[in-house]
Amino acid sequence: MKSFKLSRFVSTILYLSSGPKSVTSQLEESLEMYPQDALSCYATTAPQKEIICPQDRMTYCVKEFMNSSRRECGSTREFPNDVWDVKEPGGLCVYRKCSATCQNETRSFIGRDGLINSRTSVCCEKTLCNDGFSYERGKAVILFQICVLVAILIIEL
């Protein structure tokens, strides 16, 4: 990580010392930070809501969501970038990003209103996999499909 920051610092110094450059050469320099095989993730803070992950964060697409109300979503000091996602069933307070590390987990904490809130992190390693499909709902869908398949097999017998 330090070598990446050092190389970025050196390239910035070279850029500033070399005078004005064409748009093409500026683009070529910025592409060095985004390898061709980089992971693409949905990102809450990106203008188009998608981003090609920078080299130091191209391992996981992460989706974090919590059980807060629409009014509280994004208004807390701890999670100011959360957004209310109406595409999620019933709406959900989410934050999506690229990350170098991730762990599927649920953390509980006491919110501003004194109620216990939970925040779940879901990690995935495929391009644009942190969209509207959560880990818990994914398990429920797979379990439902298995039950339907078993029921069909039983009826067939």
Side-chain angles (χ1 to χ4, degrees):
M1 176 116 161
K2 288 184 180 181
S3 63
F4 175 73
K5 288 182 179 179
L6 180 61
S7 66
R8 186 172 173 158
F9 175 74
V10 169
S11 66
T12 303
I13 296 299
L14 290 173
Y15 172 78
L16 293 174
S17 64
S18 64
K21 291 189 175 184
S22 70
V23 172
T24 305
S25 62
Q26 289 177 12
L27 180 61
E28 287 171 357
E29 285 181 7
S30 66
L31 286 176
E32 290 175 12
M33 292 174 44
Y34 298 97
Q36 294 299 315
D37 61 344
L39 191 64
S40 297
C41 299
Y42 288 101
T44 301
T45 56
Q48 283 79 31
K49 302 300 178 201
E50 293 178 18
I51 190 168
I52 298 172
C53 300
Q55 192 166 4
D56 63 337
R57 289 180 282 139
M58 61 180 258
T59 308
Y60 296 99
C61 289
V62 181
K63 176 183 173 184
E64 296 179 353
F65 55 94
M66 55 193 287
N67 64 339
S68 66
S69 68
R70 185 176 193 157
R71 183 178 55 83
E72 290 180 347
C73 184
S75 65
T76 63
R77 184 176 56 223
E78 297 84 7
F79 309 110
N81 293 318
D82 287 2
V83 295
W84 187 258
D85 190 345
V86 295
K87 293 181 289 188
E88 295 284 346
L92 193 62
C93 188
V94 299
Y95 179 68
R96 295 178 176 92
K97 63 181 179 178
C98 299
S99 181
T101 60
C102 186
Q103 184 175 1
N104 288 319
E105 65 180 352
T106 300
R107 302 175 304 280
S108 296
F109 59 95
I110 298 178
R112 270 187 344 196
D113 52 6
L115 299 175
I116 295 176
N117 290 328
S118 63
R119 186 168 185 88
T120 302
S121 296
V122 180
C123 317
C124 55
E125 300 175 78
K126 296 179 184 172
T127 292
L128 299 177
C129 58
N130 62 336
D131 61 355
F133 190 78
S134 76
Y135 180 72
E136 292 301 319
R137 268 200 299 272
K139 287 193 309 187
V141 168
I142 291 169
L143 181 61
F144 175 77
Q145 290 172 343
I146 290 170
C147 290
V148 169
L149 183 60
V150 168
I152 290 171
L153 290 174
I154 291 173
I155 291 171
E156 293 284 324
L157 297 175

